[in-house]
Amino acid sequence: MTEHGPQGGDEVNLARPTRNFGWPNVSYGCSYGATPGTACRIGGGTHAAPYTPPLAFWYATSTAPGGAAFYTGDKFPEWKGSFFVGGLSGKTLWRFVPTEDAIVGQEPFFAGQHEIRDLKQGPDGYLYLISRNTSQIYRIER
């Protein structure tokens, strides 16, 4: 799942029963109005017990997660099982390679080009994204 953080600190988390990701006690983001930097992180930004750290996070700037989707299609076998996250303010499509409890790889696409509002896998196996700044739907091809 994705989560918007305060002034940075947007996260990718693995939602499981009993997990607590710390909000509002801890975040890699800063309180609004604070000068970004490690000193302003809410609760110090360290996810110690009983909090579960995010699998990935954006700092010091927010990506503002838009749509997200797991890729299960056959068009791109090397992407099978990848988790894709679109960034609204970050204007980037992120591909994360997850394992059971970690992200072991990430890859940005279209950096700075699209405010990605939503992202879906079509029945044809392609990924589609809706760009807020161009008001267009794009099919992702390699």
Side-chain angles (χ1 to χ4, degrees), residues 1-36:
M1 63 181 240
T2 62
E3 178 183 336
H4 282 252
Q7 194 169 266
D10 298 337
E11 299 177 356
V12 172
N13 293 303
L14 182 59
R16 294 236 170 107
T18 73
R19 292 204 175 172
N20 181 338
F21 299 104
W23 184 254
N25 299 319
V26 65
S27 172
Y28 288 103
C30 298
S31 295
Y32 290 103
T35 302

Side-chain angles (χ1 to χ4, degrees), residues 33 45 91 109:
K91 295 184 179 178
F109 295 94

Side-chain angles (χ1 to χ4, degrees), residues 41-72:
R41 291 180 176 176
I42 296 169
T46 303
H47 287 71
Y51 304 121
T52 302
L55 297 179
F57 65 93
W58 288 267
Y59 180 82
T61 7
S62 294
T63 199
F70 277 100
Y71 184 73
T72 60

Side-chain angles (χ1 to χ4, degrees), residues 47-138:
H47 287 71
Y51 304 121
T52 302
L55 297 179
F57 65 93
W58 288 267
Y59 180 82
T61 7
S62 294
T63 199
F70 277 100
Y71 184 73
T72 60
D74 294 322
K75 282 288 185 211
F76 311 107
E78 69 276 17
W79 287 356
K80 195 164 239 169
S82 293
F83 184 56
F84 286 84
V85 176
L88 287 163
S89 68
K91 295 184 179 178
T92 301
L93 175 65
W94 291 94
R95 179 177 79 95
F96 293 99
V97 181
T99 63
E100 187 65 25
D101 284 311
I103 297 289
V104 296
Q106 65 184 47
E107 182 178 15
F109 295 94
F110 315 117
Q113 294 181 38
H114 298 288
E115 296 172 357
I116 301 169
R117 168 54 67 195
D118 203 3
L119 175 69
K120 298 287 184 217
Q121 178 184 308
D124 58 2
Y126 283 103
L127 284 173
Y128 293 84
L129 66 85
I130 297 173
S131 175
R132 182 173 69 177
N133 56 310
T134 65
S135 299
Q136 298 288 316
I137 296 174
Y138 295 91

